[in-house]
Amino acid sequence: MSINSAMLAGVSGLTANSSALAAISDNIANINTVAYKRNQVNFANIVTAQAVTGRYSAGGVQGLTRQYISQQGLIQSANSSTDLAISGDGFFIVTEKGFGLTDADKRVFTRAGSFNVDSDGYLRNDAGFYLQGWPIAANGTINYNPSDLTELNSINVKNLGSAVQATANVTLNANLDKRQTISAAEGTYDPATRSMADWEENSDPATGTQPDFSIEMNIVDTMGGTHKVSFSLLRSAANPNEWHAEIFAIPAADVTGGPSGQIAQGLVMFNQDGTIDLANTTLFGAAGAAPTISLAASGAGGTPRWDDGLGVGAQDIRFDLDKLTQYASASTVRIVNPDGATVGTVVGVQVDEGGIVSAIFDNSQIRQIARIGVATFANPDGLQAVSGNSYRATIDSGEYVIKLPGQGGAGSISPSTLENSTVDMSAEFTGLITTQKAYSACSRIITTADQMLDELISMRR
């Protein structure tokens, strides 16, 4: 009967508008939720077969929920370096467990990047999910598999121990005075019996030779210990552009080798324009040899080597002498810059646009820990929403593909930012008003149909 169909159509209208009100309520409630994606109930009419010509049976309406997951929210700056947003397509991969992950543990996807370092050192967002990434090996390699979630681990930025970096390079910027007078001891100088290292040790002119100029620096060994090393020079009488040179440890006991901790000895040569002539410099071995000194490990064979009591590993140190000059001005040191760092602990975390998470140590070292993976879907609007502002894959969404941030269509990571909710307050309040009016109108349909049925029933009296 048409009156019954009208009443049922009104009921369907109440149901559809109730769903619309629920979606609007969710949107308004989550207007400040990080990376929240608005929902909307769209209406579609239901058409019933008209069995009798001239009579119309109402079909009503059905509400179809649509998720706007693929819509990009506004990215705004945040205070924390671990607040992250994805600029472009893709989702962070997260899990409910920080450690002990197995294949059976579920992984979900989110764009809510409000991550903080928890008490165990894991990056965890406000919903309690742990951020996943590929661990970076000590040599910088990543075991990358775009279709295997189990290759990812929860990122921990504190369970790293201490960081030590042995000195590998020394930058030396100095000038040697071309006007330097020849020392009286230069004629008796011998790097084996009357070395500059010997004089530095005991100041005995009978066994050592006082250098004309010395440059001292600190070297960090493989265990983070600090050692003083001297780069000493003596003007040669044989050639106006030639200097005797020695590199030795202070104290000599740190190194087992030549006289009084001597590590290297030879000549440093200069061109006629005052620049260094590395092609004819013999301080590091044969003329033209790479400007590198090598110290064997403690207890190892060969000399020079670190003292056996130190227990440290082998070490090669390269000297950058391109800025060592011989000009007619006072001998002076401009810059001595050895790299390396003593023992340090984690004091901060940084993330770059490529998704590389690095730990910052208080000794100024930066260690790469992991690289964040970004999951993309053929149809992100087909994902299934779950609690915690996250999603699961469905048949409609298609299979995930894990990509490196900024590559293969995946969005890049934007550090120290957060993605805002996509909710538009003015649009939601407008929808709230129209939904309320539509609901009232549908209720009036039911009231009118009820009155007409009353009239029909009263006809038999």
Side-chain angles (χ1 to χ4, degrees):
M1 168 177 284
S2 296
I3 296 177
N4 284 337
S5 69
M7 184 175 287
L8 293 174
V11 171
S12 69
L14 293 178
T15 302
N17 282 284
S18 296
S19 296
L21 178 64
I24 293 171
S25 300
D26 241 359
N27 292 341
I28 295 174
N30 286 280
I31 192 167
N32 290 319
T33 300
V34 173
Y36 175 79
K37 305 300 181 182
R38 64 181 290 267
N39 297 304
Q40 179 175 302
V41 175
N42 295 329
F43 299 105
N45 69 316
I46 300 173
V47 178
T48 59
Q50 307 301 320
V52 180
T53 303
R55 294 184 182 180
Y56 183 84
S57 294
V61 65
Q62 62 179 344
L64 304 174
T65 303
R66 180 178 177 185
Q67 302 177 106
Y68 292 89
I69 299 173
S70 59
Q71 185 176 353
Q72 172 84 54
L74 179 66
I75 294 178
Q76 291 188 333
S77 61
N79 295 325
S80 174
S81 62
T82 56
D83 283 336
L84 308 174
I86 298 177
S87 180
D89 294 335
F91 299 81
F92 297 111
I93 303 163
V94 294
T95 184
E96 294 178 344
K97 292 176 63 177
F99 59 92
L101 289 173
T102 65
D103 294 350
D105 293 315
K106 66 178 181 180
R107 278 77 168 176
V108 293
F109 309 93
T110 185
R111 288 179 68 93
S114 52
F115 295 101
N116 290 294
V117 181
D118 70 5
S119 58
D120 295 321
Y122 291 99
L123 288 180
R124 193 178 184 188
N125 70 7
D126 293 338
F129 289 114
Y130 296 87
L131 180 61
Q132 304 292 290
W134 292 286
I136 297 179
N139 61 0
T141 59
I142 300 174
N143 189 14
Y144 166 69
N145 189 330
S147 60
D148 188 358
L149 288 176
T150 61
E151 295 290 344
L152 303 166
N153 287 327
S154 300
I155 299 175
N156 191 301
V157 298
K158 285 189 176 178
N159 189 24
L160 303 174
S162 301
V164 170
Q165 180 181 343
T167 299
N169 297 280
V170 175
T171 299
L172 198 153
N173 185 338
N175 181 66
L176 304 179
D177 194 345
K178 182 175 179 62
R179 303 165 301 181
Q180 175 72 46
T181 58
I182 304 299
S183 169
E186 193 277 338
T188 60
Y189 167 72
D190 187 295
T193 60
R194 289 178 56 87
S195 70
M196 287 180 272
D198 280 327
W199 184 91
E200 193 71 31
E201 277 291 301
N202 53 40
S203 300
D204 184 354
T207 57
T209 302
Q210 181 177 3
D212 291 325
F213 189 65
S214 293
I215 304 170
E216 294 184 351
M217 63 202 74
N218 290 321
I219 301 299
V220 180
D221 65 30
T222 57
M223 288 188 178
T226 302
H227 307 273
K228 184 180 289 186
V229 170
S230 178
F231 187 104
S232 295
L233 299 113
L234 177 70
R235 183 79 182 274
S236 171
N239 185 330
N241 295 324
E242 178 180 282
W243 294 69
H244 302 289
E246 293 181 21
I247 300 175
F248 53 89
I250 303 173
D254 281 356
V255 171
T256 300
S260 300
Q262 193 179 89
I263 300 170
Q265 62 83 24
L267 297 173
V268 173
M269 305 296 293
F270 291 92
N271 299 308
Q272 291 182 342
D273 62 359
T275 58
I276 192 166
D277 180 10
L278 289 174
N280 292 301
T281 293
T282 62
L283 174 60
F284 303 99
T292 301
I293 60 173
S294 297
L295 285 162
S298 297
T303 57
R305 69 174 186 270
W306 288 114
D307 182 73
D308 295 346
L310 296 175
V312 297
Q315 195 167 352
D316 291 335
I317 303 173
R318 183 183 184 282
F319 283 77
D320 182 358
L321 302 179
D322 289 343
K323 298 298 174 64
L324 184 62
T325 59
Q326 179 190 245
Y327 294 139
S329 63
S331 295
T332 184
V333 177
R334 302 186 188 96
I335 296 174
V336 177
N337 186 23
D339 62 9
T342 55
V343 180
T345 55
V346 178
V347 294
V349 181
Q350 69 180 20
V351 184
D352 66 15
E353 292 185 353
I356 295 178
V357 182
S358 303
I360 303 172
F361 292 79
D362 57 8
N363 59 1
S364 300
Q365 296 303 297
I366 298 176
R367 180 187 297 178
Q368 293 183 348
I369 304 168
R371 189 164 192 180
I372 299 169
V374 174
T376 61
F377 295 86
N379 176 31
D381 289 340
L383 292 168
Q384 177 186 354
V386 296
S387 296
N389 201 15
S390 56
Y391 306 93
R392 290 179 183 169
T394 65
I395 295 175
D396 288 339
S397 69
E399 287 292 328
Y400 61 83
V401 177
I402 313 173
K403 301 176 181 178
L404 297 175
Q407 298 183 17
S412 59
I413 302 296
S414 182
S416 299
T417 62
L418 289 173
E419 182 180 357
N420 284 353
S421 165
T422 58
V423 175
D424 183 346
M425 181 69 81
S426 60
E428 298 304 324
F429 271 101
T430 301
L432 194 63
I433 293 170
T434 57
T435 301
Q436 181 184 18
K437 295 298 182 183
Y439 189 90
S440 298
C442 289
S443 67
R444 184 58 60 89
I445 294 173
I446 296 172
T447 301
T448 303
D450 179 59
Q451 291 174 350
M452 293 175 68
L453 286 173
D454 281 343
E455 290 292 329
L456 181 62
I457 292 171
S458 66
M459 289 175 61
R460 67 188 294 262
R461 296 175 185 171

